[in-house]
Amino acid sequence: MKKPLHFLGACMGLGAQVQTTAEGPYCLLKSLEFANFVDLCQHPVTHSLMHICKKPSVKETLSNFNTELCKEVLFYLKQNIMPIVIGGDHSVAIGTWFANINHLNTKGKELGLIWIDAHMDAHTFESSPSKAYHGMPLASLLGYGPALIKEHDNLQKLLPENLILIATRCYEKAEEQFLLEHNVRVHYMQEVSKEGFAKVLSNAFNDLKKKNLEIGISFDFDAIDPIHAPGVGSQASKGLCKKEFLEGFAQIDVLQDLVCLELVEYNPTLDENSKTKDLALEILHKLLLSKHDLTRR
């Protein structure tokens, strides 16, 4: 039997240069309510973890936020409810995926993570030219980046051989070298264009499954070409087209095959004619039409 799901809106933007990305989750989840998706379940879609408080520093704020997000994600995982995390900037991945890694560790299992993103997000603070924390979550999850979550050193880390990047095309040499040194598998956009996104995604998914891993996907909207998804804080040209992404994504029964899904970096203030919003709602629409129960806390 397939798991019920719960939407978590991780409204954080302090990790990005364009901080209005924090408005993305609220915008999308409110749109779900007004799009009559609520009629498919007994409870309205909820949005949680609205960031409204001020902290002494960005790093401390992000650490506190990810710690709380981690707790929220764990709450649902322990009840066999699938969390769908809607970011916010990609620094929220630290809370999302540490929750999954450590929950699975208690069950003797490991996470396989597919990272669909134009960027590598594998900087340490020292290697980052911008010092923007949304460019550092993968390094942190692997145990080398900034400790943007409490008890970081005591948490089980993501194994590099269990990580696959797809649609990568905008990065610095330092983070590329970091991933290379740790033997992380990267499918650059040039390869994806040649082989087809559906094939690359399917192969990545199947390879992780063969290792008996529980699979999660973190999807950054900037993986899509700005022509189709302009509403992101860090645009990168020559990306995926909307059609090929949706067709590739359709191969996976998200609620059957994944332990968790994360969608990040939608920025409504930068969108054009609701292109990015419509893509996001189309993805979420498919989830809600899968005849699964929605829960709320």
Side-chain angles (χ1 to χ4, degrees), residues 79-297:
Q79 297 184 74
N80 200 35
I81 296 170
M82 180 180 174
I84 308 292
V85 178
I86 313 294
D89 73 66
H90 220 161
S91 69
V92 304
I94 294 171
T96 299
W97 299 110
F98 268 131
N100 280 273
I101 293 164
N102 286 272
H103 174 68
L104 290 171
N105 185 57
T106 64
K107 302 168 68 174
K109 299 180 179 180
E110 294 178 3
L111 175 71
L113 182 58
I114 297 175
W115 194 269
I116 306 172
D117 193 331
H119 305 87
M120 287 183 166
D121 291 349
H123 274 299
T124 62
F125 190 80
E126 293 72 25
S127 72
S128 171
S130 69
K131 308 302 180 187
Y133 288 106
H134 72 157
M136 308 180 195
L138 276 182
S140 183
L141 288 167
L142 292 167
Y144 296 89
L148 297 178
I149 188 170
K150 293 179 181 178
E151 301 295 327
H152 177 269
D153 292 344
N154 297 324
L155 295 172
Q156 184 74 23
K157 305 304 188 294
L158 177 65
L159 297 178
E161 62 266 29
N162 295 346
L163 170 64
I164 299 175
L165 280 67
I166 297 177
T168 310
R169 60 189 184 277
C170 185
Y171 52 90
E172 280 78 42
K173 284 293 183 182
E175 54 185 340
E176 182 181 39
Q177 184 62 33
F178 171 80
L179 294 178
L180 181 64
E181 289 174 354
H182 289 86
N183 296 312
V184 172
R185 181 168 152 191
V186 179
H187 294 283
Y188 294 91
M189 191 62 215
Q190 184 177 5
E191 176 192 349
V192 175
S193 297
K194 181 179 178 180
E195 299 293 330
F197 174 71
K199 181 178 179 180
V200 173
L201 178 61
S202 177
N203 288 342
F205 185 88
N206 291 331
D207 288 347
L208 293 175
K209 270 296 183 185
K210 288 175 184 176
K211 297 169 66 176
N212 295 316
L213 302 176
E214 296 292 328
I215 301 176
I217 291 179
S218 184
F219 169 67
D220 188 320
F221 282 100
D222 67 27
I224 307 295
D225 192 277
I227 294 175
H228 305 284
V232 297
S234 302
Q235 290 186 1
S237 62
K238 300 181 180 179
L240 299 169
C241 76
K242 174 180 176 179
K243 183 175 183 291
E244 69 175 327
F245 172 76
L246 290 173
E247 289 176 350
F249 207 68
Q251 300 174 104
I252 298 173
D253 184 338
V254 172
L255 299 175
Q256 177 70 37
D257 297 333
L258 301 183
V259 65
C260 185
L261 174 66
E262 179 179 62
L263 309 175
V264 301
E265 295 279 357
Y266 166 57
N267 191 321
T269 65
L270 300 175
D271 209 0
E272 298 173 7
N273 299 318
S274 296
K275 288 181 180 179
T276 318
K277 179 180 177 181
D278 289 345
L279 170 62
L281 292 178
E282 190 166 353
I283 296 169
L284 298 177
H285 189 182
K286 292 180 185 300
L287 291 176
L288 291 173
L289 289 179
S290 298
K291 299 181 179 179
H292 289 75
D293 294 329
L294 286 169
T295 67
R296 66 178 299 179
R297 182 175 177 179

Side-chain angles (χ1 to χ4, degrees), residues 6-9 29 33 43-48 76 295-297:
H6 180 85
F7 287 95
L8 284 169
L29 293 173
E33 293 179 358
H43 304 293
V45 178
T46 62
H47 33 82
S48 309
Y76 294 103
T295 67
R296 66 178 299 179
R297 182 175 177 179

